[in-house]
Every structure is written in C-alpha cells, then in structure tokens.
Amino acid sequence: MNLLLMIFGAVIVAFLIAFVIVKYLPLKLRWLPSILLLVAAIFLGFKIYGGIMEPIIFNKEKVKKYQPVVNSLKIIRDAQVKYYEVNGTYNDNKAGLIRFVDTARLALTETRTVVERVNTGTKYNPIYVDQEVRVTDTIGYEPVLKYFEDRDYKNMFQVPGVENKEFEIEVGSIEKIPGLVVSTFRVRTPKADILKGMNESLIKQELEVKETNQIRGEYVSVGSLEEVSTGGNWPPSYDRSKGGKKQ
C-alpha cells in the first residue's frame, strides 16, 4: 500500500513540475527542473526497489528466526512422547520433564507368538483347542537420555532469539471415543516476540497467515489441546536439514 501511494504521489508531483515548467519557467532555466526530476526519479527507483525487496528479505529472515524455535519444539515434543510411553500421560512441569530425560528408563519389549491350549467348552464339559496367542515380554531397559544425545534438552524451554522468554506449555485431555479419555499437550510461543524489531506491517500480515506452506496463525506451536496430535503447525520445509534430509 505504501509503495502504491509513493508511486501515485510521484506521478502527481511530476505532473505539477511539468505544468510549472511549461506555464511559468523561462526557457533558459528549464534545465534545472530536469536535473531535479532525474534526482527524484533515482530516489523513487531506490524506494520502489526497497519496497519490492523488503517482503522478500522479511520472508528469508523470518525463516532464520523460526528454525531454531521449531528445533526446540521438536526436542520438547520428543520428551513428551517418551514421557507418555512411560507414564501414559503428558507433563506440564518443565523441570520435571528435564529431570525425566536425565533419569528415566524405557522398557525394551519383545513380542512373540506362542501356542496355548484354550478351553472353548465349559467347566464340566471342556473342549481344548490349540490357539495362537501373542505374548509381550520385557527383555531390558534403556535410558531415555539415549534419544537426546547432542540435543540441548537442558535449555529446550528457552525460546531461541528471545531474551528471558520460555515456551508456554499446557496439558489436558479429550474423550477420543465414548469412555476413552486421552491425554493431550500443547507447547507454543507468540510469533510477534520472535519477529520483534522487523517491519510492523509485515509482522501483522504474518500473524494472519493461513497458507499450508507457512507457519499458520499467531503462534509457533506443537501438539494440540483440541485433538490427539503431536504435530507442529510448521510446514515440512522446517523438518529438513540443509542436506535435504528430514530431521
């Protein structure tokens, strides 16, 4: 909008200058407005170029700011998933979740098929048949910490690039089907905090974005309180490293 107003204003000014030249300026002085118009054209050209490039630069910079935030959310999500595997629920205690990664162990299981004789008759008239049954045995344990090697889980709740800011974390539950209540979680942080200091008009547009190839809405988030999900609201491009491999 500002760029269009600038172009419109420049056209009006150019028209007025041309009118003044033709109507009032002596012929021998008409070279002076020509220089002024040239300078104005160069200035306007720089302004138009800046107006075109600013959204492009903004989009590149926002990705650089969002990527470490998304990476931290992935660590939190993985910690929540491991916590759920052990406890059957999610955890909104930040220190407790870090402590869980440090100390907890996951059971290693093995599932095998065995044949058992099953009574398909009654107590007084038994009829035994062979039936295959799947049996799961615990064969050992492994530390949760194994899955967080070379990952900064100790500081995973600090929002990268935003001073003294931590992610918001909430847990809840929903009834997935009648009688089955399932735990849910959501971790998020406002986009506005991450993009602070950038163009205010472009930030406002960013908070309203709904395209599937962008981070939708006002927050960068993972999980949901309204549905069973451990996914984030970022597009697949944030899940790929520079080499093109999924992280």
Side-chain angles (χ1 to χ4, degrees), residues 90-150:
Y90 295 111
N91 189 353
D92 62 354
N93 185 298
K94 297 175 182 179
L97 201 57
I98 294 172
R99 188 165 56 251
F100 168 81
V101 174
D102 276 328
T103 62
R105 297 191 303 164
L106 295 172
L108 298 175
T109 60
E110 180 182 70
T111 301
R112 54 194 173 87
T113 301
V114 298
V115 177
E116 294 183 352
R117 290 184 63 79
V118 178
N119 180 14
T120 59
T122 65
K123 179 179 179 181
Y124 300 102
N125 185 27
I127 301 174
Y128 291 97
V129 297
D130 291 338
Q131 193 173 80
E132 289 187 347
V133 179
R134 293 180 69 81
V135 177
T136 300
D137 298 319
T138 299
I139 59 175
Y141 294 88
E142 64 178 358
V144 172
L145 190 57
K146 169 186 174 181
Y147 296 91
F148 295 87
E149 293 177 354
D150 301 322

Side-chain angles (χ1 to χ4, degrees), residues 33 37 49 54 107 158 174 192 196:
L37 283 173
Y49 177 78
E54 189 168 25
Q158 301 292 328
I174 61 172
K196 188 175 181 180

Side-chain angles (χ1 to χ4, degrees), residues 42-129:
I42 294 172
F43 174 78
L44 182 61
F46 276 110
K47 284 293 184 180
I48 292 174
Y49 177 78
I52 293 172
M53 291 301 298
E54 189 168 25
I56 297 173
I57 295 171
F58 177 88
N59 286 332
K60 289 182 178 179
E61 288 300 314
K62 77 177 184 183
V63 172
K64 291 180 182 179
K65 289 176 177 289
Y66 284 154
Q67 187 65 67
V69 175
V70 169
N71 292 342
S72 291
L73 286 171
K74 291 177 187 176
I75 300 174
I76 298 171
R77 175 195 58 197
D78 292 348
Q80 288 283 23
V81 168
K82 293 303 178 187
Y83 189 91
Y84 186 88
E85 289 180 17
V86 174
N87 299 284
T89 186
Y90 295 111
N91 189 353
D92 62 354
N93 185 298
K94 297 175 182 179
L97 201 57
I98 294 172
R99 188 165 56 251
F100 168 81
V101 174
D102 276 328
T103 62
R105 297 191 303 164
L106 295 172
L108 298 175
T109 60
E110 180 182 70
T111 301
R112 54 194 173 87
T113 301
V114 298
V115 177
E116 294 183 352
R117 290 184 63 79
V118 178
N119 180 14
T120 59
T122 65
K123 179 179 179 181
Y124 300 102
N125 185 27
I127 301 174
Y128 291 97
V129 297

